Every structure is written in C-alpha cells, then in structure tokens.
Amino acid sequence: MRRVGIRDVAARAGVSISTVSNALNRPQLVSEALVDRVRQAADQLGYVPLQAARQLRAGRSGLLGMTVINIANPFFAELVAGAEDAASASGLRVLVGNSSDDAAKERDHLELFERVQVEGALVSPFGETGPWLERLRRRGIPVVMVDSVDESGELPSVSLDDVAGGRMAARHLLDIGRRRLAFVGAREAVRQVRERLQGAREAVATVPGTTLEPIWTEQTTSERGIAFGEELADRAPEDRPDGIVTSNDHLAIGVLHGLVSRGVRVPEDVAVVGYDDIEFAAIATVPLTSVRQPSREMGRTAAELLLALISGEGDDVPRHVVYQPELMVRASTVAGSSRTTVGG
C-alpha cells in the first residue's frame, strides 16, 4: 500500500494542498473550521506528516544520538533519562543505541548516527571508538563523552571521579577493620573500572598488612555476581576476602545473594560495597552500601553541553565536567546502620 500523502488529505477535505500545509503547520493562518476539517481528513486517512523528512531537507534531523554500554543497568537508563530531559526542552529527541557490552554493536550505532545525520552525539564508550568519533566530527557532528573522558582531551566530557570513588569504597572497608579486600569487576580495559581499581589500590597501599585481590569477569550481571558470591563462600574463611568492592551494583547484589545463600554472614563475615547506587541497592536483602553517581544529572549536563556546541555557544560552557562521588553507607558494611552519606 502506498503512503497517504498531503495530496490525499487535500482531496478528502476538499481544499488545496497549501491549505492543508497551513492547517497542519501554521494553523494561525487559516480559520479554526478549516483546521478542524483538515485534521479530521488526516485522521480518517491515517496521514502522518513527514516531519523527519522536512527537517532533513532543512539540514536538521531533530535527533541527538546516544550510545550506552548496557541500558539494562539502571545507571545507564538514568543517564538516558537525563539526556532526554535536556533534549526535549529544546525540541529534540534522543536516538539511543544500546551496545550491550558489545563493541561491534557500538560501532553499528555510531555508523547509524552518521547515516541519519544526528545533530550531535553523546557517547558512553565500551570499545575503541576513536576512528568513528572522528568520522562524526568530520561530518560536522559534535560529540560529548558521557561517563568517560577522551584521553586526548579534545572531546568535551561529563564524568565522575572514579579514582576517588574506588578509593572511597576501599577506605570505608579499611576503616571498619577489613584487611583482605577483593575487587570484583568487568575487564580492566574499561576505563571506569580501571580507575575504580586504581583508587582501591591507592587506599590499600596506605594501610600496612592489607591485600587487594582483583577478580575479573566479562559479564557484570547479578547472575554472575551470585556465582562469584558462591565461589567465595566455598573458600576457607581464612582464604576468603573479608571486604569486597564491586564495579557495579548488579554484581554487588548478586554477590550478596551468593554469600548469604551459602551461610556467610554479611557484613559480619564479609562486607560488600557496590557502585552506582541504583534504586535496588537500598532495598536489597541486605541493604547495599554503594558509591553514588548522580546519573540523571550527568546525562542532563552532557546533553546541555552538546546543545551548546550545536548552537555555537560552546565557548561559554566548561568543556570537562567532573562530578564527585558519595558513599551511601548501609547494612552490607555496617550492621543495623541506617543510610549515611559520606561525601567525596
């Protein structure tokens, strides 16, 4: 079936094509009765204005592109929500590409952004994106890094001080007397994870007689966390870490479940700290101590920075915005504790 066009609406309403155009796009130029007549005809025919095509002919897509590592993680969902808040206030929409921890998917999303001529791109990278981001920039599409930093310093960015976050998590465990720490996280090639581990190592280095064991996984799901928790619970108590930092809350909640299911007491035997402070952290079986990132605010700030670049006002805003983490202390590290906020 062919697409219903503006000519069909004009014929159904018994008016000219220009009248249909005015009624749908500039209703102040025609009478209210004509507007109602044209809209009724459009509804009867199922006519949908080709707004995207009009914008493309005018050199605008009306879209911002955004890639995230894994939207199943509430942290990234909140990043997107914040970006959408800022974009919708400017009459734009956000085209989201979920990489699902897959570098090939991430490249496909960036290529799509180029094809549809997004007005700007927000990128939370998983793999090596440098060549693709350069292609976007050559096409005149500005790019802002989100929850990441461009190592060259050329691209604007909005990120968290992850070294401080990792240091804060490990320092908390050390302060409550834990001495055998483990860091459970995604592969070290991911910048955020690498920096969180760096911070944890810095904290451990300040306390003689303490250790830090890195444990790596390609999957950062709660299911994988459960498996890790069970594996750690099966160790002899003297070989088991007494404090665990994870690279995200999904892993942490899984680790909690795996430990408790095998009879390990949290936090008496093992204390656990997560990262992101997602909504479910506070309502876990053992409420989870977590490093908080202001995810929605970060997404909104990144989109506002991108919009400033698009409008040519980028010189008036900071190119690199770094948020500081907070530690939300709960019962997974301090038994019976109500929530306490520890600033960065």
Side-chain angles (χ1 to χ4, degrees):
M1 295 178 63
R2 70 178 183 85
R3 181 187 294 272
V4 174
I6 192 171
R7 190 181 302 276
D8 302 300
V9 176
R12 172 64 65 93
V15 298
S16 67
I17 292 175
S18 61
T19 298
V20 172
S21 179
N22 285 334
L24 296 178
N25 302 301
R26 295 174 294 278
Q28 71 276 11
L29 298 180
V30 297
S31 69
E32 188 174 332
L34 270 179
V35 170
D36 291 342
R37 187 163 143 196
V38 168
R39 287 179 177 171
Q40 184 177 11
D43 289 342
Q44 291 172 348
L45 294 171
Y47 171 70
V48 178
L50 293 177
Q51 180 68 22
R54 288 199 299 273
Q55 288 177 319
L56 283 172
R57 285 196 295 272
R60 301 184 67 229
S61 66
L63 296 172
L64 300 182
M66 185 172 188
T67 66
V68 294
I69 294 175
N70 191 342
I71 205 166
N73 183 332
F75 167 75
F76 291 109
E78 283 292 297
L79 271 185
V80 171
E84 288 179 332
D85 289 343
S88 61
S90 295
L92 301 175
R93 296 182 180 180
V94 180
L95 176 62
V96 180
N98 177 30
S99 301
S100 299
D101 297 326
D102 187 324
K105 282 186 178 180
E106 181 174 63
R107 290 192 298 271
D108 289 343
H109 297 321
L110 294 174
E111 185 178 12
L112 174 63
F113 295 168
E114 182 183 13
R115 289 202 311 269
V116 302
Q117 301 175 43
V118 296
E119 297 188 39
L122 299 165
V123 178
S124 180
F126 175 76
E128 172 53 51
T129 58
W132 292 93
L133 300 186
E134 183 57 32
R135 283 179 57 167
L136 292 175
R137 295 174 69 195
R138 286 200 303 266
R139 293 288 298 273
I141 298 173
V143 176
V144 172
M145 307 293 281
V146 191
D147 190 39
S148 188
V149 177
D150 174 35
E151 293 184 359
S152 72
E154 294 182 6
L155 294 175
S157 62
V158 175
S159 63
L160 187 84
D161 187 341
D162 280 303
V163 175
R167 187 189 305 118
M168 181 182 293
R171 169 55 63 185
H172 173 63
L173 292 173
L174 296 169
D175 286 346
I176 61 174
R178 306 309 161 115
R179 292 298 179 262
R180 300 185 308 277
L181 306 191
F183 180 94
V184 181
R187 59 195 181 97
E188 198 172 4
V190 177
R191 182 204 60 83
Q192 297 93 318
V193 176
R194 186 170 64 248
E195 292 187 356
R196 292 167 194 176
L197 175 60
Q198 176 188 335
R201 282 174 167 156
E202 289 177 3
V204 167
T206 66
V207 181
T210 60
T211 59
L212 179 65
E213 175 190 0
I215 301 175
W216 301 116
T217 175
E218 289 296 322
Q219 297 178 319
T220 57
T221 63
S222 55
E223 289 79 8
R224 191 67 190 102
I226 291 172
F228 275 129
E230 292 173 345
E231 291 166 14
L232 293 173
D234 289 342
R235 293 186 187 181
E238 63 273 15
D239 295 328
R240 181 192 304 146
D242 58 7
I244 298 172
V245 177
T246 66
S247 66
N248 72 29
D249 284 345
H250 276 182
L251 273 173
I253 291 169
V255 167
L256 282 173
H257 182 85
L259 290 170
V260 172
S261 69
R262 294 294 177 95
V264 175
R265 298 174 303 164
V266 178
E268 291 83 358
D269 300 325
V270 181
V272 180
V273 179
Y275 210 103
D276 292 336
D277 195 36
I278 65 175
E279 180 182 0
F280 303 113
I283 59 174
T285 303
V286 181
L288 177 66
T289 294
S290 184
V291 177
R292 180 180 181 272
Q293 302 192 72
S295 50
R296 191 163 189 142
E297 185 177 350
M298 289 169 65
R300 181 166 50 249
T301 299
E304 289 171 349
L305 176 52
L306 183 60
L307 292 167
L309 294 173
I310 292 169
S311 67
E313 300 174 356
D315 293 339
D316 298 327
V317 295
R319 287 182 59 82
H320 303 287
V321 179
V322 181
Y323 283 89
Q324 292 301 312
E326 294 179 296
L327 185 69
M328 312 305 291
V329 179
R330 301 188 180 96
S332 69
T333 57
V334 180
S337 68
S338 58
R339 189 181 76 176
T340 303
T341 302
V342 179

